[in-house]
Amino acid sequence: MAFCLLYKPVLQFCEIVVNEANFVRKCIGAESCQDDLWGKLVCTNFKVSFIAHNSLPRQCTHRLLGEHDIPLACVEQVVTVNDVKGKQKILGSNQKLKFNPTELILYCKDFRIIRFRFDEAGPESAKKVCLAIAHYSHPADPQLLFGFEYVGKRYHGSTGERVNGVDPGGGLQTPLFDCSSDWDREIKRTGASEWRVCTINQGYFISPSLPEFFVVPVSLADQDLKQYACCFYSQRIPLWCWNHSSGSALVRMSNISDPQQQRKVEQRISSAITKSHPLRSDVFKSDLDKNLPNIQDIQAALLKLRQICVIDSFEESEEKWLSSLESSRWMEYVRTFLRHAVEVVYMLESRHVSVILLEKEDRDLSCVISCLVQLMCDPHCRSLHSFQGLIQKEWVMAGHRFLDRCNHLKRNDKEESPVFLLFLDCVWQLWNQYPAAFEFTEVYLTVLGDSMWVPVFSTFLFNCPRQRAEHSRDFASSKSIHLGQDQALCFPPVWDWSQQFSLKDQTLFNNPLYVGKIATCVQNGTVKTFTHRRSKKNYSSTLRGLPSALRNGSLGPNDTLTRRNSLMLRLRSDLSQVREQQETPSERFVRDFFSRPVDLQGLLLPQLLPSHLSVWKLYFLRWVPEAQIPQGGPITAFHKLSVLTDEIEMLQNQLRQYQGAAGTPNNLHAEHSKMYFKATSTPHQSPAPPEYLSSSFPFSPVGNLCRPGILGTPLSKLLNGAKIWLSTETLANETI
């Protein structure tokens, strides 16, 4: 096994090897070591790296992380085991280990469980590498996170000038909303003529957690805002999010901390928002703290979901597994957030009133609801760059506590909560029901969720813009880095995907089904531009046969989904009449929406029956062997759609060239093709998918997993299409 000594990890700028152990076995299956990998286990100041002797080929490669690499920020728990003594210990920072470990288990925040065996490794080197991993995955200070070293030396020379010709974030199409011009453009785009960019927080003079630039009503003077700021929690003045075409505004606001001033300040804020509306409509206040689960509830739900997805055995009955999934309450919370967003949409779209999202500190739940509302109402937000700008505006600049909620420092478990992951799941549910309405793919959403654990980018690293500025200045001062005019380290945003993926791999983000607002086509050799419109025919098979009482996608608190031969079916007609009589205006609004053909470039509302919401398998189950469908699953459809889309683009390019110039066009397949899987030069010859595709492409190659596959389990049946849950049409025919 001398090969272990020859292999070295691929290191990034400023990345150093802290400790390593040779002759380590990475476990692929729990019962047999036949398929296990042998290699070297390395701990650096950035990642845990395993250099395998033999490794399966991967199609999509990460520029910062190898196939067997785990960012230290992604490590949730470090567990060491000694088989002989029957001991097990959870390691933290600066802890001692009194026994020589024979096994190391890493529980990761991206739902991976990775096991290493030290049967052939030296006991001292095994102990040292385990202690190093535990120590470096629990940094005591934000400036000890690898991102500071990486940015400090990669992008700044001794004079403060950028090195290697790299300008972090330069040339990005994604608006970062860190300057007034980005806000001005958003005001003009949405037609919010009675709103203005406010600059009173420059230098974070008013509120430490707000951005330096934000939008407020024109009728509110700066002096008034300064006076009212002290009345709000954390001095968070109400923030404008978005304007509906009717003039209704979506605003988010923290609670008023001063009871004596509450009535006066609320009236002044509401009056200013009313004046900004062309119809002078009233303002509706939506209390998120009362209507939505709190951050502790969300964290508890994720822990239960992780337990049943990747830790518990699947050798159970299907009823028990599904009931366990239900008891985690994760899907319930996803449904709750989507339903609340629909209620806000109703107020904006149907009632034409402005809405204030109330939350105690306006930094968690309001981020989710404000983004979901804009995604449902505004097709502009469904393009890739605009979606990224939406996250930048409503999460990063608005001061969501990414450092605390991701628990990068492993300092306070009570502050940890996967609020952003819950939001991505809600977006996926909407994407799953209307895939052609979004420019990006499911793979993009999964990569975005994973990027929280690569603490090199500023996007998911800090609690607010001020914290980023202060820590970067302090770090630059301690390392004698001259900052020049920037006065801060220039962390690259995660939206610069070239830092992580090649241009070819980034094409995995492009949705071949996307129906964009403006598209080009070639007609009789002439390039024409047209607007895509949904035809009057309703293509949604989920709506056929649905009784009117169910078309709004929601059930009342006392409603149940009954199964076949239920006695309740006999009362269906009578109860349906009662349901119609008790229908609220918001339910009627949703029912009317689903009775019309859906315009993919217009309003989108999600179906909210339990049968309409699915488990986000590509994220939560991608590391589970039962979830692996070799050469099958959604990736097969993605492959075929990509090839077809690419072939159409090739033919259109040929027609354009024939139209523009005489002779035979030089039709070499362009490398900048929008699709990852490309068509062959011969249109009639369809390329076969690579042999090592799987349903979890591009994240986990077939056979490279760390837990055994159990064939015939309820989960494997579910993933392969078994009808464990009733279909929508069955529910429509057999429920009240």
Side-chain angles (χ1 to χ4, degrees):
M1 298 183 190
F3 66 81
C4 292
L5 303 175
L6 302 177
Y7 287 83
K8 295 181 180 180
V10 178
L11 303 178
Q12 304 298 325
F13 283 91
C14 306
E15 186 178 6
I16 58 173
V17 174
V18 178
N19 227 303
E20 60 185 38
N22 292 308
F23 313 119
V24 177
R25 176 160 56 94
K26 182 180 180 181
C27 302
I28 302 302
E31 299 175 357
S32 171
C33 62
Q34 181 178 358
D35 298 322
D36 291 350
L37 300 175
W38 287 90
K40 178 189 292 185
L41 181 62
V42 179
C43 175
T44 75
N45 58 338
F46 171 48
K47 63 179 182 279
V48 178
S49 183
F50 180 78
I51 302 99
H53 178 226
N54 293 316
S55 183
L56 291 171
R58 289 185 73 188
Q59 287 216 304
C60 182
T61 56
H62 201 287
R63 288 181 167 174
L64 298 178
L65 298 166
E67 178 184 352
H68 302 284
D69 292 348
I70 312 143
L72 290 170
C74 188
V75 177
E76 177 81 25
Q77 200 173 74
V78 180
V79 179
T80 52
V81 181
N82 185 287
D83 295 337
V84 179
K85 297 183 178 180
K87 291 185 177 181
Q88 182 172 311
K89 182 177 178 63
I90 299 174
L91 285 180
S93 180
N94 295 319
Q95 288 188 343
K96 294 182 179 180
L97 186 59
K98 295 182 179 179
F99 58 82
N100 294 323
T102 57
E103 184 177 5
L104 170 67
I105 307 174
L106 299 180
Y107 293 90
C108 303
K109 294 181 178 180
D110 63 359
F111 277 47
R112 274 185 289 179
I113 300 176
I114 303 178
R115 298 171 54 241
F116 300 99
R117 296 285 305 180
F118 301 113
D119 301 317
E120 304 294 333
E124 282 302 315
S125 62
K127 180 186 291 187
K128 288 180 180 179
V129 76
C130 290
L131 290 170
I133 293 172
H135 178 73
Y136 279 85
S137 62
H138 290 72
D141 185 87
Q143 295 180 31
L144 295 177
L145 291 167
F146 177 71
F148 282 88
E149 289 286 347
Y150 179 82
V151 171
K153 290 190 178 179
R154 174 157 186 160
Y155 295 119
H156 297 270
S158 58
T159 61
E161 296 178 354
R162 308 278 162 74
V163 298
N164 300 328
V166 178
D167 181 8
L172 279 180
Q173 298 181 40
T174 299
L176 299 181
F177 291 94
D178 57 352
C179 58
S180 60
S181 59
D182 286 343
W183 291 101
D184 276 325
R185 278 191 292 269
E186 187 69 1
I187 289 175
K188 293 176 182 177
R189 186 188 71 82
T190 59
S193 58
E194 296 299 317
W195 297 80
R196 66 180 178 88
V197 179
C198 178
T199 60
I200 62 172
N201 202 42
Q202 280 190 292
Y204 310 101
F205 178 73
I206 299 296
S207 173
S209 61
L210 287 180
E212 291 188 287
F213 307 97
F214 49 88
V215 176
V216 297
V218 168
S219 59
L220 273 179
D222 286 353
Q223 193 59 38
D224 293 333
L225 291 170
K226 292 177 182 178
Q227 178 183 349
Y228 298 148
C230 61
C231 299
F232 293 91
Y233 277 99
S234 301
Q235 296 81 51
R236 289 182 63 87
I237 303 167
L239 300 177
W240 173 87
C241 302
W242 178 78
N243 247 53
H244 190 271
S245 57
S246 66
S248 303
L250 180 65
V251 181
R252 48 191 292 184
M253 186 174 84
S254 65
N255 290 348
I256 297 174
S257 57
D258 187 350
Q260 296 179 350
Q261 297 291 325
Q262 183 171 1
R263 183 178 178 84
K264 174 186 174 182
V265 174
E266 276 188 349
Q267 286 181 342
R268 183 68 183 93
I269 297 298
S270 297
S271 174
I273 296 174
T274 297
K275 289 179 181 178
S276 70
H277 197 293
L279 302 178
R280 300 298 189 262
S281 297
D282 292 334
V283 176
F284 174 77
K285 298 182 180 66
S286 176
D287 194 329
L288 304 185
D289 290 321
K290 291 182 178 179
N291 295 293
L292 296 173
N294 58 39
I295 61 169
Q296 290 81 16
D297 294 333
I298 297 171
Q299 173 68 1
L302 184 76
L303 293 177
K304 291 178 182 177
L305 182 67
R306 179 187 289 127
Q307 184 74 27
I308 66 170
C309 286
V310 298
I311 299 177
D312 287 348
S313 171
F314 292 107
E315 298 180 79
E316 307 172 348
S317 67
E318 61 187 45
E319 290 83 4
K320 187 174 181 181
W321 191 84
L322 291 173
S323 63
S324 298
L325 178 64
E326 183 181 3
S327 66
S328 73
R329 306 193 72 180
W330 179 263
M331 298 301 297
E332 175 190 335
Y333 292 160
V334 168
R335 189 180 174 211
T336 301
F337 274 86
L338 286 170
R339 182 192 290 114
H340 196 88
V342 169
E343 292 172 357
V344 174
V345 169
Y346 161 71
M347 301 303 296
L348 294 165
E349 181 84 14
S350 182
R351 295 280 300 277
H352 303 303
V353 299
S354 296
V355 178
I356 297 178
L357 303 177
L358 285 171
E359 186 186 6
K360 182 177 179 179
E361 292 191 356
D362 179 38
R363 302 179 71 176
D364 290 298
L365 310 180
S366 55
C367 300
V368 182
I369 298 299
S370 62
C371 282
L372 290 178
V373 169
Q374 291 173 69
L375 280 172
M376 292 177 190
C377 292
D378 192 346
H380 173 82
C381 299
R382 299 171 206 151
S383 69
L384 189 142
H385 291 294
S386 298
F387 178 69
Q388 294 177 166
L390 180 66
I391 294 173
Q392 190 73 26
K393 172 168 66 92
E394 300 293 343
W395 292 80
V396 181
M397 300 310 294
H400 178 65
R401 292 192 181 93
F402 279 107
L403 185 68
D404 295 339
R405 299 297 180 251
C406 295
N407 206 4
H408 287 317
L409 304 181
K410 312 289 192 301
R411 183 179 293 171
N412 190 348
D413 292 342
K414 292 182 179 180
E415 295 292 323
E416 183 176 1
S417 183
V419 182
F420 186 70
L421 181 59
L422 180 85
F423 162 69
L424 292 181
D425 199 339
C426 292
V427 174
W428 181 83
Q429 302 293 339
L430 197 62
W431 180 94
N432 195 40
Q433 294 184 26
Y434 303 100
F438 294 86
E439 186 183 19
F440 47 83
T441 62
E442 181 182 17
V443 170
Y444 167 78
L445 291 174
T446 309
V447 167
L448 188 56
D450 287 345
S451 297
M452 288 189 290
W453 317 123
V454 188
V456 168
F457 312 100
S458 61
T459 310
F460 306 124
L461 191 56
F462 301 100
N463 286 336
C464 60
R466 177 182 176 177
Q467 189 186 60
R468 176 183 62 185
E470 289 180 346
H471 278 300
S472 62
R473 282 197 297 267
D474 293 344
F475 181 82
S477 176
S478 65
K479 299 293 183 179
S480 300
I481 300 174
H482 179 64
L483 296 177
Q485 295 181 350
D486 294 331
Q487 293 302 305
L489 290 179
C490 290
F491 283 83
V494 74
W495 319 125
D496 184 5
W497 293 109
S498 62
Q499 306 254 354
Q500 300 184 66
F501 302 101
S502 66
L503 289 176
K504 179 178 182 293
D505 290 338
Q506 289 177 58
T507 55
L508 281 170
F509 299 167
N510 298 329
N511 183 4
L513 290 173
Y514 177 56
V515 179
K517 187 173 184 180
I518 301 295
T520 58
C521 71
V522 177
Q523 203 172 78
N524 297 326
T526 303
V527 178
K528 294 186 176 182
T529 301
F530 65 95
T531 303
H532 286 284
R533 290 290 182 187
R534 181 85 175 211
S535 69
K536 292 184 178 180
K537 180 180 177 182
N538 192 341
Y539 291 98
S540 178
S541 61
T542 61
L543 301 182
R544 289 177 302 190
L546 269 175
S548 58
L550 291 181
R551 281 184 188 149
N552 62 0
S554 62
L555 293 173
N558 300 319
D559 295 329
T560 57
L561 293 175
T562 57
R563 290 182 176 266
R564 193 185 303 274
N565 299 326
S566 170
L567 294 175
M568 294 297 293
L569 295 177
R570 303 175 187 176
L571 305 176
R572 177 168 55 184
S573 58
D574 295 335
L575 290 177
S576 295
Q577 294 176 3
V578 175
R579 177 84 58 83
E580 290 288 350
Q581 295 173 1
Q582 296 177 346
E583 189 177 47
T584 64
S586 62
E587 290 173 339
R588 190 180 308 115
F589 164 73
V590 178
R591 176 172 58 81
D592 290 344
F593 169 82
F594 285 112
S595 67
R596 303 189 304 267
V598 176
D599 178 9
L600 296 178
Q601 285 300 313
L603 176 68
L604 295 183
L605 298 183
Q607 294 272 14
L608 292 176
L609 282 173
S611 59
H612 292 132
L613 302 185
S614 306
V615 179
W616 185 9
K617 295 187 282 287
L618 187 62
Y619 192 91
F620 298 119
L621 301 175
R622 55 190 157 146
W623 310 113
V624 182
E626 292 93 326
Q628 292 285 320
I629 308 174
Q631 300 183 24
I635 185 57
T636 304
F638 179 78
H639 170 263
K640 293 184 180 299
L641 285 169
S642 297
V643 170
L644 181 61
T645 303
D646 195 57
E647 184 177 322
I648 292 172
E649 187 177 353
M650 287 175 58
L651 293 173
Q652 288 184 340
N653 287 335
Q654 287 182 354
L655 287 172
R656 290 189 185 96
Q657 292 183 24
Y658 275 120
Q659 179 71 16
T664 304
N666 182 17
N667 183 38
L668 295 176
H669 199 179
E671 287 300 320
H672 61 272
S673 171
K674 294 179 181 179
M675 293 297 107
Y676 184 87
F677 296 108
K678 300 178 181 179
T680 60
S681 56
T682 307
H684 301 291
Q685 180 184 357
S686 179
E691 294 181 358
Y692 43 90
L693 280 183
S694 74
S695 57
S696 58
F697 175 87
F699 301 102
S700 53
V702 177
N704 189 14
L705 299 162
C706 298
R707 51 169 293 157
I710 308 172
L711 298 177
T713 63
L715 179 60
S716 62
K717 292 177 184 176
L718 170 67
L719 294 166
N720 284 281
K723 294 183 179 179
I724 295 178
W725 284 328
L726 294 177
S727 67
T728 306
E729 292 187 0
T730 304
L731 287 171
N733 294 328
E734 298 187 3
T735 57
I736 301 172

